Amino acid sequence: MSLSELQKMKAGELYSMFDDELDQLRTKAERLLFLFNHEPDRQTRRAYLEELGIGLHPTAHIQQPFTTCYGCHIRVGAQSFINWDAVILDHGGVTIGDQVFIGPKVQIYTVNHALEAAARVAGEERAQPVVIGDRVWIGGGVIILPGVTIGDEAVIAAGAVVTRDVAAGDRVGGNPARSLVKR
C-alpha cells in the first residue's frame, strides 16, 4: 500500500506539495487564518485556532497577525506566548514547550524544497520537525530552520538564524547562530 502525500510529509519522506489533499488543508488554513487575523474577540480567535487544529494549551496565546501553512501540526504548551507576525511553516510539525516566549516576526520553518531544479519545480519537498523545549526565550526576528531542537531554558538572540540544535540553557546569536557563552 502506498502512502498518501500527507503521510509522506509526516514521515519526513519526499512528497509533492501539489497534492490535492494538501492543497485542501492549506485552503482551510488560509480561510481560518484570515478570520483569526481580523477578529477582535479573543475567545472567537481561539476558536478559529482550535478549528484549524492547533494544539493550544488553555493558558497559551498566539498574537495577531499569525501565518501558518496547515496549523494542525502545531502544539503550544502552557503559558507560552507567540508575539505579532509569527510565521510557522508547520509541515514537519512544531512542538513548543511550556512557558516559551517567542518575539515578534519569528519564523519557524519545517520544510525544504528539493535542491535540484527539476525536482523543485515538480513540487518535491521534505519536512522535518522543530522542537522547542520549556522556558525558552526566542528574540524578535529569529529564523529557525527545519530539524532543529532547542533545549530547555535556552535563549536565542534577536535576529539569529538557527541552523542546528541548541543545547539546554545555552545562549546563542548570529547567522548562523552559535553559542555566546564563554567556555
Side-chain angles (χ1 to χ4, degrees):
M1 182 175 156
S2 65
L3 297 176
S4 71
E5 298 305 297
L6 177 59
Q7 290 169 322
K8 290 177 189 176
M9 182 174 78
K10 288 181 175 183
E13 297 178 13
L14 284 175
Y15 66 92
S16 173
M17 67 179 283
F18 297 129
D19 177 68
D20 286 339
E21 180 183 17
L22 295 178
D23 187 55
Q24 289 172 14
L25 288 171
R26 288 189 303 267
T27 299
K28 174 185 175 184
E30 289 168 2
R31 179 181 63 80
L32 290 169
L33 287 167
F34 178 85
L35 295 171
F36 169 83
N37 286 324
H38 293 86
E39 176 58 52
D41 180 72
R42 191 176 194 147
Q43 289 180 324
T44 304
R45 287 195 310 263
R46 179 171 282 279
Y48 289 137
L49 295 177
E50 290 171 356
E51 186 177 347
L52 190 56
I54 294 176
L56 190 63
H57 188 278
T59 61
H61 180 74
I62 298 176
Q63 185 67 45
Q64 300 164 284
F66 173 65
T67 304
T68 189
C69 290
Y70 299 98
C72 57
H73 307 124
I74 300 172
R75 301 290 169 262
V76 183
Q79 299 175 334
S80 290
F81 183 85
I82 300 174
N83 216 320
W84 292 284
D85 287 327
V87 174
I88 301 179
L89 305 186
D90 65 318
H91 304 59
V94 175
T95 302
I96 298 169
D98 297 336
Q99 300 173 326
V100 173
F101 296 99
I102 297 179
K105 298 189 183 294
V106 167
Q107 301 169 57
I108 301 173
Y109 305 147
T110 66
V111 63
N112 277 317
H113 297 290
L115 294 177
E116 299 76 29
R120 186 170 51 252
V121 171
E124 285 188 13
E125 296 181 328
R126 184 182 309 270
Q128 296 174 282
V130 168
V131 178
I132 300 169
D134 296 334
R135 297 173 305 283
V136 171
W137 178 20
I138 300 172
V142 167
I143 298 172
I144 301 170
L145 296 184
V148 167
T149 296
I150 298 174
D152 294 347
E153 300 183 7
V155 176
I156 314 300
V161 178
V162 184
T163 62
R164 59 182 178 219
D165 292 352
V166 176
D170 203 357
R171 277 64 175 137
V172 303
N175 180 5
R178 54 197 157 289
S179 182
L180 302 173
V181 178
K182 296 192 189 263
R183 298 180 195 264

